[in-house]
Amino acid sequence: MSHFLPSGLQTMLPNIIQLVYLIATGIFIFGIKRLGSPATARSGNQLAALGMLIGIVVTLFDQQILSFEYIIAGIVVGSAIGAFLAKKVEMTSMPELVAVFNGFGGGASALVAWGEFTRVADPTIFSGQDLVTTGLSILIGAITFTGSFVAFGKLKGFISGNPLTFPGQNVFNALLSIGSFGLVGWLAFDPTNLIIFWTLFGIALFLGILTVLPIGGADMPVVISLLNSYSGLAASMAGFVIGNNLLIISGALVGAAGLILTNIMCESMNRSLGNVLFGAFGGDNGGDGGNTGPAADTDKTVHKTTAQDVALQCSYADKVIITPGYGLAVAQAQHVLKEVVDKLEKKGVNVKYGIHPVAGRMPGHMNVLLAEADVPYDQLYDMEQINPEFKSTDVVLVIGANDVVNPAAKTEEGSPIYGMPILDVDEAKRTIVFKRSLSPGFAGIDNELFYEDSNQMFFGDAKDTLQDLSQAIGEMD
């Protein structure tokens, strides 16, 4: 390509290419920064994508590996698939889509390392550093690929959301991990031995499956965040393999952001990352998938309510806070909820949303779900922001949330969730829980909130009960 350019421009071309790479990197970093706020996240995503597009285009002038036709075809096909998914995939299925994206990202990085390693007849020409980064890219990328698709299966339901374990699994996984790093070192020492290369690739793919299978479905938000970090680290390693600074920096940023978010989510559950990965905790042992009505194995008293009663309490309240959970997403009730809120606001009720960091099935799931229903960003409050307001709140509508509002986290020292920061909904004058049944959440324990005198249970599918509530509020006009 460069031989078509004037001789003076050919001389300057390497510097121009590096400058454009630097510009693309700056655009990507700025885009990532804007992802920190729901109000700027959309434009941030577009800027980050633009940075990557510029990086792809400049690669046409930097690397003479593929012809223009193949790269342009890849851009067109990828863009078409992305546009189709953006239009067709519902927000409730976004966790599964993110898991797939993570998987393909990790797989692509592993393939880049594989291609670079096998494109030369004599791999001994690579330095030891290049061989180590090649091995790490394959290891991390392959783990991300298979692990992400297991996470996809757990979220989709064709793989059990319960922890799938066997005796000694943690020890076995640890030995495989140690062995994998040993193979990376061996590959750097003896790159001509392709048996080592393929053994590393195969073990990494197998390790990805074994890593995610023992993790319960309710812990998938943490797993998705961690796998997102893995995909970034794999991309960064691939950048070292091919000597691409844009890939190194962007991959490192994604990896760091994923690790930071993973740590935030673990702190929000008062659990260590090791407990999430190796504790065989968080199965699908409850949630909102049970039968409608109270659980049959409890002798505790609950106070049931009706749509008309809830409509009356909310319509005459000064302030109402809504705390959504995974049950809202399962019922796809976000639009009906927005109708309810609109009717309450017309009556002069001050309505806010309290969002727990681990509500839903992926980081930011509730924010994205509510944004789809055109809920204003300024009505969404993080846990730290909303907790001081519950004491002055007349009614809290708990829709599909469970453990993140369980007072046992503050009072029961022996509880699995003791110490976990929760939404302090029990401090409000009235709580109304929208739920199919009294079944437990991912922690597998009873929710004390259900039986408090200040709480009422509105049993049923969240979409159906909210529709009834919307109708009841309308009939009061």
Side-chain angles (χ1 to χ4, degrees):
M1 179 66 189
S2 60
H3 61 273
F4 291 108
L5 301 174
S7 58
L9 191 56
Q10 288 185 32
T11 304
M12 296 175 58
L13 187 59
N15 292 332
I16 294 174
I17 287 174
Q18 293 306 314
L19 177 61
V20 177
Y21 270 135
L22 182 61
I23 293 172
T25 301
I27 293 174
F28 182 84
I29 292 173
F30 186 63
I32 290 290
K33 183 178 185 300
R34 291 181 68 82
L35 292 177
S37 168
T40 59
R42 185 188 298 269
S43 62
N45 190 47
Q46 293 169 343
L47 282 172
L50 175 62
M52 286 294 100
L53 177 61
I54 293 173
I56 293 173
V57 172
V58 74
T59 300
L60 293 172
F61 298 91
D62 186 28
Q63 302 289 336
Q64 300 298 319
I65 299 174
L66 295 176
S67 67
F68 271 56
E69 292 80 2
Y70 287 120
I71 293 181
I72 292 174
I75 293 174
V76 171
V77 172
S79 299
I81 294 174
F84 174 79
L85 293 175
K87 293 291 184 182
K88 295 297 182 181
V89 176
E90 297 181 353
M91 286 299 175
T92 50
S93 299
M94 200 56 63
E96 293 95 313
L97 182 62
V98 172
V100 171
F101 283 165
N102 289 341
F104 281 136
S109 298
L111 290 177
V112 167
W114 176 21
E116 182 69 8
F117 181 77
T118 57
R119 75 180 178 87
V120 297
D122 183 13
T124 58
I125 66 172
F126 294 115
S127 67
Q129 176 182 324
D130 291 337
L131 291 170
V132 169
T133 54
T134 298
L136 289 176
S137 183
I138 290 171
L139 174 61
I140 301 172
I143 289 174
T144 306
F145 178 74
T146 52
S148 294
F149 279 95
V150 172
F152 169 81
K154 283 178 172 282
L155 290 168
K156 203 67 178 175
F158 59 80
I159 297 178
S160 172
N162 292 318
L164 301 176
T165 62
F166 57 83
Q169 182 168 28
N170 287 341
V171 175
F172 183 72
N173 287 357
L175 291 175
L176 274 185
S177 300
I178 295 171
S180 298
F181 284 108
L183 288 173
V184 171
W186 194 354
L187 181 67
F189 178 76
D190 185 12
T192 59
N193 191 338
L194 293 182
I195 295 178
I196 300 173
F197 178 86
W198 290 113
T199 301
L200 172 63
F201 216 137
I203 289 178
L205 291 170
F206 188 48
L207 189 57
I209 297 173
L210 292 182
T211 300
V212 181
L213 276 179
I215 304 174
D219 279 336
M220 284 303 109
V222 180
V223 174
I224 289 176
S225 179
L226 184 63
L227 289 172
N228 180 252
S229 175
Y230 284 178
S231 69
L233 293 175
S236 188
M237 292 298 105
F240 281 108
V241 171
I242 64 176
N244 188 295
N245 290 331
L246 175 61
L247 198 56
I248 293 171
I249 295 172
S250 60
L253 284 173
V254 172
L259 284 176
I260 291 171
L261 183 57
T262 300
N263 182 61
I264 290 173
M265 298 182 72
C266 287
E267 289 180 352
S268 298
M269 298 187 299
N270 194 38
R271 293 168 60 200
S272 66
L273 180 59
N275 179 260
V276 173
L277 296 178
F278 309 118
F281 186 71
D284 287 345
N285 51 8
D288 275 343
N291 297 324
T292 301
D297 58 350
T298 180
D299 56 358
K300 299 178 182 178
T301 301
V302 297
H303 307 282
K304 292 189 290 184
T305 189
T306 64
Q308 289 72 25
D309 184 39
V310 178
L312 185 66
Q313 295 183 69
C314 291
S315 296
Y316 289 97
D318 291 324
K319 182 165 69 174
V320 172
I321 295 179
I322 298 168
T323 58
Y326 184 57
L328 178 72
V330 171
Q332 300 186 36
Q334 63 271 26
H335 295 285
V336 184
L337 176 60
K338 181 63 165 55
E339 292 178 12
V340 171
V341 173
D342 288 343
K343 291 181 179 180
L344 290 177
E345 289 179 332
K346 287 181 180 179
K347 294 178 177 292
V349 181
N350 180 17
V351 182
K352 297 180 179 180
Y353 296 80
I355 312 296
H356 194 279
V358 295
R361 281 297 184 267
M362 63 176 285
H365 192 184
M366 291 299 103
N367 302 71
V368 175
L369 195 73
L370 295 171
E372 185 194 30
D374 296 324
V375 174
Y377 296 129
D378 58 4
Q379 287 187 344
L380 305 180
Y381 292 82
D382 294 334
M383 178 176 61
E384 293 78 9
Q385 296 173 307
I386 202 68
N387 268 348
E389 298 198 29
F390 284 114
K391 290 182 179 179
S392 61
T393 300
D394 299 298
V395 180
V396 176
L397 303 181
V398 181
I399 305 177
N402 199 330
D403 292 314
V404 297
V405 297
N406 192 343
K410 298 185 291 185
T411 59
E412 297 290 336
E413 293 189 11
S415 170
I417 63 172
Y418 180 71
M420 181 181 83
I422 63 168
L423 293 164
D424 296 326
V425 299
D426 57 308
E427 296 180 356
K429 298 174 184 176
R430 167 69 70 192
T431 56
I432 300 173
V433 178
F434 291 65
K435 205 171 183 297
R436 288 180 179 271
S437 70
L438 295 176
S439 57
F442 73 86
I445 60 173
D446 216 359
N447 192 336
E448 295 180 358
L449 178 68
F450 298 165
Y451 313 105
E452 292 190 358
D453 292 336
S454 60
N455 179 69
Q456 294 179 332
M457 301 296 299
F458 194 1
F459 290 113
D461 175 81
K463 189 172 185 178
D464 294 338
T465 50
L466 284 170
Q467 285 174 339
D468 292 341
L469 176 58
S470 178
Q471 182 179 348
I473 294 174
E475 291 173 353
M476 294 179 61
D477 294 336

